[in-house]
């Protein structure tokens, strides 16, 4: 009798396990389908842009910089430097102990300048935070990599701007001759901003493939100047612009490197300006300097770096070397003081670049967000506002 009861008890447990197992086997595909549907809905939101297709994709496939179904850097460029693993880097970024000054303790000091009332005949640079800036020279206006919403990401409440760094909004942008985009990452190409200024933009200058995003957002093919490295185009008022290499990557959707990333050389009747975009250090800086230099101004990425990412983002000492390679008379560092996209203290990039610049006797210009830089005033001085 005891034996029969034990047998029945065991069978009952086995039966319960079978039920649980069958239920689990039922729910696994259901959850997988729900996740796939949710992913499809999210990735097809307007903020994620569009994949290159048709004539644009044909152009991409014919590019000498496109191999193995993606754009390539001039040199071999791994995502992480030697000695680093993605699991460890990802853990440290999201769950590791953070520096107490990863974000500023106080509001970022900034100056609001009304861009719409600027005299179009003045030559000025105005930093709008991170890698966004307004440039006006030789009677022509440019807006570079504008991210003027409160978040440098496709989702609200993620990658929020520091207080005081967000004083400029899309509605502050005046009528533009040219919108200039260096690559399609969310902290350089902001959907709300770019869509908002569409009807105030004469033309958009973008690297090959990025035009697909803008066309989805309402820009016409006629508005786009979309080219690859080595291309030189003529703009208004006898200004020439060249698409020049950078060492980086792209990707707004699942597929990586299906659009190009670039730097630019802007040559006007009165000055030469290098627009660096995002780039790790490499031989291309020397090549650009030899072909187009020396430069009156170089606007270079300096911030959101780490030793693990040194192939795709310059460390401060790399910025100094890049500036010397391209023979820049004046250096304006950007890519800092608005978002925490790396693990260094928020003000470290400016501390290091100014110190290193003094050692090399280089002229580093460090305006506050919104502060006017007169491009015809060679000796303009700026405070160490990040130490306040």
């Amino acid at each position: 009798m005891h034996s029969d009861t034990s047998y029945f008890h065991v069978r009952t447990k086995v039966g319960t396990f079978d039920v649980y197992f069958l239920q689990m086997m039922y729910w696994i595909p259901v959850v997988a389908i729900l996740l796939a549907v949710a992913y499809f809905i999210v990735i097809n939101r307007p903020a994620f842009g569009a994949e290159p297709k048709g004539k644009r994709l044909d152009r991409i496939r014919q590019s000498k910089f496109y191999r193995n179904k993606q754009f390539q850097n001039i040199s071999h460029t791994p995502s992480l430097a030697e000695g680093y693993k993605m699991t460890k880097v990802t853990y440290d970024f999201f769950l590791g102990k953070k520096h107490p000054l990863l974000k500023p303790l106080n509001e970022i000091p900034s100056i609001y300048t009304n861009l719409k009332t600027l005299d179009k005949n003045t030559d000025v640079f105005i930093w709008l935070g991170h890698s966004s800036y307004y440039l006006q020279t030789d009677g022509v206006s440019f807006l570079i990599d504008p991210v003027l919403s409160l978040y440098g990401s496709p989702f609200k409440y993620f990658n929020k701007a520091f207080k005081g760094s967000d004083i400029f909004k899309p509605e502050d942008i005046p009528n533009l001759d040219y919108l200039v985009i260096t690559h399609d990452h969310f902290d350089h190409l902001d959907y709300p901003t770019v869509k908002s200024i569409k009807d105030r933009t004469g033309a958009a200058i973008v690297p090959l493939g990025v035009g697909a995003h803008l066309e989805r957002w309402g820009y016409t093919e006629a508005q786009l100047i979309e080219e690859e490295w080595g291309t030189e185009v003529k703009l208004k008022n006898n200004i020439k612009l060249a698409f020049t290499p950078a060492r980086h990557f792209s990707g707004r959707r699942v597929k990586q490197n299906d659009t190009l990333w670039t730097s630019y050389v802007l040559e006007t009747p009165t000055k030469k300006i290098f627009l660096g975009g995002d780039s790790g250090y490499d031989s291309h800086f020397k090549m650009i300097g030899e072909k187009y230099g020396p430069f009156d101004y170089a606007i270079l990425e300096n911030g959101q770096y780490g030793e693990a990412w040194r192939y795709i983002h310059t460390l401060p000492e790399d910025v100094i070397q890049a500036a010397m390679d391209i023979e820049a008379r004046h250096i304006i560092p950007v890519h800092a003081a608005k978002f925490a996209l790396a693990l260094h203290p928020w003000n470290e990039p400016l501390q290091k670049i100014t110190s290193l610049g003094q050692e090399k006797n280089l002229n580093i210009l460090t305006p506050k967000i919104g502060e006017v830089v007169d491009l015809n005033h060679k000796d303009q001085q700026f405070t160490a506002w990040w130490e306040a």
Side-chain angles (χ1 to χ4, degrees):
M1 184 71 178
H2 177 73
S3 176
D4 290 345
T5 302
S6 298
Y7 174 78
F8 178 76
H9 185 63
V10 170
R11 289 298 303 163
T12 302
K13 283 188 174 181
V14 171
T16 301
F17 174 78
D18 289 344
V19 171
Y20 287 155
F21 180 76
L22 290 173
Q23 288 177 335
M24 185 182 298
M25 293 303 293
Y26 169 79
W27 280 108
I28 286 175
V30 171
V31 171
I33 291 170
L34 290 174
L35 289 174
V37 170
Y39 171 79
F40 180 81
I41 291 171
V42 169
I43 203 67
N44 283 286
R45 293 175 62 192
F48 287 87
E51 294 180 354
K53 295 178 181 178
K55 293 186 298 181
R56 179 173 284 110
L57 183 56
D58 289 339
R59 284 188 64 197
I60 288 172
R61 287 171 173 167
Q62 292 168 13
S63 171
K64 64 181 179 180
F65 306 110
Y66 188 81
R67 300 185 305 276
N68 300 324
K69 298 184 178 181
Q70 61 180 351
F71 281 105
Q72 305 285 341
N73 284 292
I74 292 175
S75 301
H76 173 62
T77 304
S79 299
L80 296 178
E82 295 80 4
Y84 292 90
K85 293 183 178 180
M86 187 60 72
T87 51
K88 179 68 165 57
V89 170
T90 302
Y91 177 87
D92 288 345
F93 187 83
F94 288 104
L95 300 174
K97 186 178 180 180
K98 302 298 188 294
H99 193 284
L101 288 179
L102 178 68
K103 297 180 180 181
L105 302 178
N106 302 308
E107 188 171 298
I108 294 282
S110 54
I111 299 172
Y112 180 79
T113 296
N114 190 334
L115 305 179
K116 294 180 178 179
T117 61
L118 287 172
D119 183 348
K120 192 69 178 286
N121 295 313
T122 57
D123 296 352
V124 298
F125 166 97
I126 299 173
W127 183 35
L128 307 179
H130 196 59
S131 284
S132 308
Y133 50 96
Y134 178 81
L135 181 65
Q136 200 174 265
T137 184
D138 297 80
V140 180
S141 59
F142 302 86
L143 181 66
I144 292 83
D145 287 359
V147 179
L148 303 180
S149 54
L150 297 179
Y151 304 88
S153 78
F155 307 109
K156 291 184 177 182
Y157 309 111
F158 180 74
N159 194 22
K160 189 175 181 180
F162 301 153
K163 288 183 179 180
S165 70
D166 57 353
I167 61 172
F168 290 95
K169 305 294 186 285
E171 53 268 28
D172 295 320
I173 302 302
N175 292 334
L176 290 172
D177 292 306
Y178 298 101
L179 166 67
V180 181
I181 302 297
T182 62
H183 63 295
D184 70 359
H185 286 157
F186 290 97
D187 63 318
H188 291 258
L189 177 57
D190 181 49
Y191 163 67
T193 303
V194 171
K195 184 171 176 59
S196 173
I197 65 175
K198 172 178 64 71
D199 295 333
R200 304 197 298 279
T201 300
I205 300 169
V206 298
L208 188 55
V210 174
H213 304 314
L214 271 64
E215 283 190 359
R216 182 180 180 187
W217 302 337
Y219 285 71
T220 65
E221 184 178 355
Q223 275 182 287
L224 301 179
I225 300 173
E226 184 175 0
E227 298 295 344
E228 62 181 329
W229 301 337
T231 304
E232 298 181 359
V233 296
K234 291 183 178 180
L235 306 179
K236 291 181 177 180
N237 295 3
N238 294 317
I239 292 176
K240 293 186 291 185
L241 179 133
F243 289 71
T244 47
R247 191 184 195 188
H248 200 52
F249 67 109
S250 72
R252 203 171 178 90
R253 299 166 69 88
V254 181
K255 188 177 180 183
Q256 293 288 304
N257 298 348
D258 62 342
T259 61
L260 188 59
W261 48 97
T262 194
S263 60
Y264 296 99
V265 169
L266 195 63
E267 187 172 356
T268 84
T270 63
K271 54 186 66 70
K272 285 184 183 178
I273 305 173
F274 180 66
L275 316 180
D278 281 5
S279 177
Y281 181 76
D282 201 15
S283 59
H284 65 280
F285 287 110
K286 191 71 172 176
M287 293 163 52
I288 292 168
E290 290 173 351
K291 184 171 183 178
Y292 295 103
F295 290 92
D296 297 290
Y297 293 91
I299 302 153
L300 296 172
E301 172 203 13
N302 175 60
Q304 318 317 315
Y305 51 73
E307 285 287 346
W309 308 330
R310 66 176 310 149
Y311 288 129
I312 51 178
H313 287 290
T314 46
L315 301 173
E317 55 267 32
D318 297 329
V319 179
I320 294 297
Q321 186 59 55
M324 293 190 294
D325 286 353
I326 62 174
E327 300 181 61
R329 297 188 179 99
H330 306 280
I331 301 116
I332 305 177
V334 296
H335 208 240
K338 187 168 184 176
F339 303 116
L341 300 176
L343 297 179
H344 57 66
W346 77 270
N347 57 356
E348 179 187 281
L350 288 163
Q351 290 173 336
K352 286 192 171 184
I353 198 71
T354 51
S355 175
L356 292 168
Q358 287 175 353
E359 292 175 9
K360 298 293 184 180
N361 200 29
L362 297 177
N363 190 9
I364 311 291
L365 305 182
T366 55
K368 297 175 185 175
I369 292 173
E371 189 170 5
V372 176
V373 178
D374 184 342
L375 298 178
N376 294 322
H377 184 184
K378 305 301 183 184
D379 299 316
Q380 194 170 356
Q381 300 295 314
F382 301 94
T383 63
W385 53 265
W386 55 92
E387 303 289 5

